[in-house]
């Protein structure tokens, strides 16, 4: 039986230039109750999930004060404090919860200060490694909201600042106020509306955190086909695809189950070939005729020069994927 892969198989990425983490993280939204509200059905299982992901090399955990609310952050501290030296905890503020499955923006500076200080207490941290503005509030100028977070950074309560659920113009506005090191938007094999922001993150060495990374994976026929070929789940294929298409993407799949967490982390070891990556990016199965031509062209690999040349090309593809491999279609963004 093969050993359980760890998050280290995904390689590493720098957050803010000084925090190096494995490039497969964990999203802690699902360790709460139904509707992301209240306590989880099994507190012991939630704690076991958090401990298992860290055992398997995950050293980037994404959460928010609104998950529960407060429940996710409290569980993280209960399960993992005192924290491993290399663990980076990212949290967010800017959404409030009037009830299950309900999310309302609150970008008032006084609220963000209160939210950040509450996160510090619950997480038992003196400084939050990455604090993200959860969503722009239409009732509050973005510069005021981000300005409040900048003040908290200046006070030493925040190390790095990220922004979530934004357009490119909103990112640019935030960057005028404080350095931004990460963007967290919805992105997966079926929802590609943040494509241009991934290109921007590549150009400026920002981290892109895709939320809902595995949702609707079955809608992409190339995902279904690749899962069948590799004998793995569709969710694992999508995670492997996210790792392949850009070195700036840090997937953060979430779950409340240790077993499901193991399955997600195992995706770091799945090697998709370039044709599979391209087919998933295009959202459809490759043309059969082109696939046959591609196979015939690979007969040259049987010679040592051809084989070594292909290995070099494949390594280059993995280390520096271009945005041309992604579907560049855009549409109006919305959460």
């Amino acid at each position: 039986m093969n050993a359980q892969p760890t998050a280290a198989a995904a390689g590493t990425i720098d957050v803010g230039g000084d925090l190096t983490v494995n490039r497969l993280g964990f999203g802690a939204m699902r360790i709460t109750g139904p509707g992301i509200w209240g306590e989880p059905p099994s507190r012991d299982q939630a704690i076991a999930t958090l401990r298992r992901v860290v055992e398997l090399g995950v050293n980037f955990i994404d959460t928010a004060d609104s998950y529960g609310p407060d429940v996710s952050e409290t569980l993280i501290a209960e399960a993992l404090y005192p924290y491993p030296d290399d663990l980076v905890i990212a949290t967010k503020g800017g959404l409030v919860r009037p009830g299950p499955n309900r999310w309302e923006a609150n970008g008032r500076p006084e609220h963000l200060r209160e939210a950040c200080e509450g996160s510090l207490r619950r997480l038992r941290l003196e400084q939050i490694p990455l604090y993200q503005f959860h969503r722009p509030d239409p009732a509050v100028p973005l510069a005021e909201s981000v300005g409040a977070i900048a003040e908290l950074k200046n006070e030493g309560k925040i190390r790095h600042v990220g922004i979530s659920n934004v357009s490119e113009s909103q990112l640019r506005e935030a960057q005028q106020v404080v350095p931004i090191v990460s963007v967290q938007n919805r992105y997966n094999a079926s929802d590609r509306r943040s494509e241009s922001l991934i290109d921007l993150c590549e150009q400026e060495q920002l981290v892109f955190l895709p939320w809902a990374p595995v949702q609707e994976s079955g809608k992409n026929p190339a995902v279904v086909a690749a899962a069948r070929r590799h004998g793995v789940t569709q969710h694992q294929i999508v995670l492997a695809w996210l790792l392949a298409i850009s070195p700036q993407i840090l997937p953060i799949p979430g779950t409340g189950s240790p077993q499901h967490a193991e399955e997600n982390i195992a995706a770091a070891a799945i090697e998709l070939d370039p044709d599979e990556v391209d087919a998933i990016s295009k959202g459809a199965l490759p043309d059969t005729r082109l696939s046959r031509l591609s196979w015939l062209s690979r007969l040259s690999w049987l010679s040592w020069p051809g084989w070594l040349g292909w290995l070099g090309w494949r390594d280059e593809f993995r280390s520096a994927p271009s945005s041309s491999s992604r579907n560049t279609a855009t549409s109006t963004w919305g959460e």
Side-chain angles (χ1 to χ4, degrees):
M1 180 179 295
N2 294 331
Q4 165 70 46
T6 72
T12 61
I13 190 170
D14 290 336
V15 180
D18 60 356
L19 299 173
T20 301
V21 298
N22 290 327
R23 201 163 66 92
L24 186 60
F26 177 73
M29 184 172 73
R30 298 291 176 185
I31 59 171
T32 62
I36 322 303
W37 184 261
E39 295 287 331
S42 170
R43 192 177 186 88
D44 289 344
Q45 179 171 289
I47 289 174
T49 302
L50 288 163
R51 290 176 177 166
R52 185 58 175 150
V53 298
V54 171
E55 288 174 356
L56 292 177
V58 168
N59 53 9
F60 182 92
I61 295 178
D62 176 82
T63 185
D65 70 329
S66 56
Y67 296 166
D70 304 342
V71 172
S72 177
E73 292 179 330
T74 300
L75 286 170
I76 288 169
E78 182 177 340
L80 302 174
Y81 186 86
Y83 301 116
D85 291 339
D86 64 344
L87 181 63
V88 172
I89 297 176
T91 192
K92 299 180 284 292
L95 288 180
V96 294
R97 304 297 307 287
N101 288 318
R102 296 178 62 191
W103 309 81
E104 295 180 1
N106 188 341
R108 293 180 297 110
E110 58 271 27
H111 170 74
L112 290 169
R113 175 170 290 275
E114 180 182 352
C116 178
E117 292 177 347
S119 292
L120 284 165
R121 288 192 302 271
R122 285 184 293 274
L123 291 167
R124 307 181 202 175
L125 290 171
E126 294 183 0
Q127 183 185 69
I128 295 171
L130 174 62
Y131 194 76
Q132 304 160 90
F133 183 34
H134 208 153
R135 189 201 301 169
D137 183 348
V140 181
L142 182 61
E144 288 187 16
S145 300
V146 177
I149 295 174
E151 289 180 4
L152 291 160
K153 182 178 186 294
N154 291 337
E155 293 169 12
K157 296 177 180 179
I158 294 169
R159 184 166 185 168
H160 294 299
V161 178
I163 196 163
S164 181
N165 297 314
V166 293
S167 64
E168 182 174 343
S169 63
Q170 288 170 324
L171 171 60
R172 292 306 190 196
E173 184 177 354
Q175 287 176 317
Q176 296 299 311
V177 180
V178 68
I180 301 296
V181 306
S182 67
V183 175
Q184 183 170 163
N185 276 10
R186 179 184 169 96
Y187 185 83
N188 54 49
S190 296
D191 186 344
R192 315 289 286 284
R193 288 172 288 181
S194 288
E195 197 76 42
S196 64
L197 277 163
I198 296 178
D199 292 336
L200 190 152
C201 287
E202 290 179 356
Q203 295 162 15
E204 301 185 11
Q205 296 299 291
L206 308 179
V207 176
F208 185 87
L209 301 161
W211 65 264
V214 299
Q215 285 191 5
E216 301 180 335
S217 55
K219 289 186 176 181
N220 187 315
V223 170
V224 177
R228 188 180 304 116
R229 281 193 298 272
H230 288 266
V232 299
T233 70
Q234 295 170 19
H235 288 179
Q236 288 175 308
I237 290 295
V238 169
L239 292 172
W241 169 76
L242 287 168
L243 290 169
I245 60 171
S246 172
Q248 297 310 118
I249 291 180
L250 170 51
I252 47 171
T255 179
S257 159
Q259 293 75 26
H260 189 202
E262 291 173 357
E263 182 180 285
N264 286 338
I265 293 168
I270 296 172
E271 297 187 12
L272 300 176
D273 70 39
D275 285 347
E276 290 174 316
V277 173
D278 188 55
I280 294 169
S281 296
K282 290 177 178 176
L285 290 169
D287 181 86
T288 303
R289 181 179 58 83
L290 291 178
S291 295
R292 285 199 298 269
L293 289 174
S294 178
W295 180 83
L296 288 170
S297 71
R298 291 175 192 168
L299 290 176
S300 62
W301 299 348
L302 295 176
S303 67
W304 275 109
W307 175 249
L308 292 174
W310 177 77
L311 282 177
W313 175 80
R314 187 178 70 167
D315 289 342
E316 181 180 0
F317 178 90
R318 286 177 179 161
S319 62
S322 70
S323 60
S324 63
S325 67
R326 298 193 299 269
N327 179 0
T328 56
T330 59
S331 59
T332 303
W333 189 90
E335 185 174 350

